Amino acid sequence: MSLNAFALIILAGLIHAVWNIAAKKAGGDSRFAFFTSVLMMLFWAPLGWWLGREAVPLWGAMEWGFVVASGLLHVVYYVTLLRGYRKADLTVVYPLARGTGPLLSSLVAITLLGERISALGALGIAGVVGGVFLIAGGPALLRAAHDPAARARVHKGIAYGVLTGAFIASYTVVDGYAVKVLLMSPILIDYMGNFVRVALLAPVVLRDLPTAAMLWSAQWRFALLVAVVSPIAYVLVLFAMREAPLSHVAPAREVSMLFAALIGGHLLGEGDRVARLCGAACIALGVTALALG
């Protein structure tokens, strides 16, 4: 991986962690996802028009199909992530969401496709599993839980984190194919996907406009922050994919888990910060070992 690609990924990881913390603090649902998609369309419209005025008219059914697929997967991913943030701690959901995708891909390749795994790859799987164990409570899990409510919250965080990770793996493959094989603009595939997201989420908002207006007044600042910075993070990753193999870029993105566990744990006041930071580090190292092994 080139130094330029690595720098793009590190910057993207920091930005990604910041907007996830903002989304967690907003406590929003699918209506918050609608707000952010609309604001993305408006804020990035000049750049979208400038880049798309010549490229978009040349798109065929294949390109538009990937835009629709990307938009759909991003909607499901984002709504699932937001629900996880409402039900559990960011320092549980976020690392699991980021680490599950590469782990699932490797397990499917080994169990269903007959691929072999090296000792380093097996060590990587052990690192991910160990990281999940630490995030879920560490050695305390071996003892009787003294707080059933906290235990249930952790279990919900694990479930939503794993489910979100599955959707992350899906849209990463779709978008990676679009920019590497179809040579579509990383900025345009992300920007045009906003129109798909708005169309899919609009019915939820239109069903109850008074509630949507109330939520907008409380959440618009967080939505604006996410709308402005989240596309930057993902587009940086897509540009990195053009310079480096997907199998190297995807694991390197997991550095964002360390930022989220460190910054998010401090700002949100979530417990077990040391154990969860160590767990996030284990997952990041494990995923990297998987890519190399």
Side-chain angles (χ1 to χ4, degrees), residues 39 89 91 93 103 154 159 161 188 203 273 291:
L39 289 172
D89 292 344
T91 46
V93 176
L103 176 62
V154 168
L188 283 180
R273 266 182 271 173

Side-chain angles (χ1 to χ4, degrees), residues 83-84 86-89 92-93 96 135-137 141 144-161 272 276:
R83 184 172 178 82
R86 295 198 310 275
K87 300 290 185 179
D89 292 344
V92 173
V93 176
L96 293 177
I135 287 172
L141 290 179
H146 64 280
D147 190 347
R151 181 178 58 183
R153 187 174 178 84
V154 168
H155 289 170
K156 287 181 180 178
I158 292 173
Y160 279 107
D272 300 320
R276 291 179 181 179

Side-chain angles (χ1 to χ4, degrees), residues 87-109:
K87 300 290 185 179
D89 292 344
L90 176 137
T91 46
V92 173
V93 176
Y94 188 84
L96 293 177
R98 298 308 315 165
T100 298
L103 176 62
L104 289 177
S105 301
S106 298
L107 292 179
V108 168

Side-chain angles (χ1 to χ4, degrees), residues 66 70 74 171-180 189 234 238:
F66 270 84
S70 174
H74 276 274
Y171 77 63
T172 299
V173 172
V174 169
D175 293 350
Y177 185 91
V179 301
K180 291 181 73 70
I189 192 171
Y234 192 55
L238 293 179

